[in-house]
Amino acid sequence: MDLLQWSCHDVARWIESLGFPQYKACFTDNLITGRKLIYVNCIYLPRLGVTDFKDMQVISARVRELLGITETLWSRSIADPRRDSMGLFLEKKSRTGEQADGLTYQEFLDDMRR
């Protein structure tokens, strides 16, 4: 997944391509890289400086689309089945270090089955 290698400037260019050039600095100033996009949602965006609710909805939806995540965090219940594996994998990959860098999706799936 190439987006995991994006710098904060790559993320800012992507935000601009979505039609939100006014928020580029919000992402670069807060050092939001491709790995950190997993955490960008309507709860986190105001902390970055994105406060228009409609913009927050669009950006959150596009982040989920980009990452291939179909669920929203606020819709979860403890009674729900386990989260989708791609979302869990991306959370693990969002961290830095040798272990996260070397982890493949297949290895992650194998570890989940154990």
Side-chain angles (χ1 to χ4, degrees):
M1 302 188 78
D2 291 336
L3 71 99
L4 294 175
Q5 304 304 316
W6 286 4
S7 69
C8 58
H9 298 290
D10 295 326
V11 172
R13 280 190 290 277
W14 178 73
I15 289 295
E16 182 177 36
S17 77
L18 296 178
F20 300 109
Q22 70 272 29
Y23 299 131
K24 283 176 64 174
C26 296
F27 286 80
T28 54
D29 293 350
N30 288 287
L31 304 173
I32 302 300
T33 63
R35 285 179 182 232
K36 293 182 182 176
L37 276 177
I38 185 76
Y39 300 111
V40 174
N41 57 40
C42 285
I43 295 168
Y44 191 69
L45 282 168
R47 294 184 215 162
L48 298 178
V50 180
T51 55
D52 182 275
F53 187 68
K54 288 186 187 233
D55 293 352
M56 291 167 47
Q57 287 179 309
V58 171
I59 292 170
S60 292
R62 295 301 300 268
V63 166
R64 286 192 310 273
E65 180 182 304
L66 178 69
L67 297 173
I69 299 172
T70 56
E71 67 189 50
T72 54
L73 295 176
W74 58 85
S75 67
R76 297 250 334 126
S77 163
I78 60 170
D80 288 345
R82 291 185 61 125
R83 293 190 38 216
D84 73 81
S85 56
M86 180 55 75
L88 293 169
F89 171 71
L90 290 170
E91 282 183 11
K92 197 139 188 127
K93 287 294 279 189
S94 70
R95 297 173 182 93
T96 57
E98 264 183 56
Q99 190 174 21
D101 289 343
L103 183 65
T104 66
Y105 186 58
Q106 188 58 52
E107 288 172 345
F108 174 77
L109 291 175
D110 292 344
D111 286 346
M112 280 184 60
R113 289 186 191 114
R114 292 184 206 158

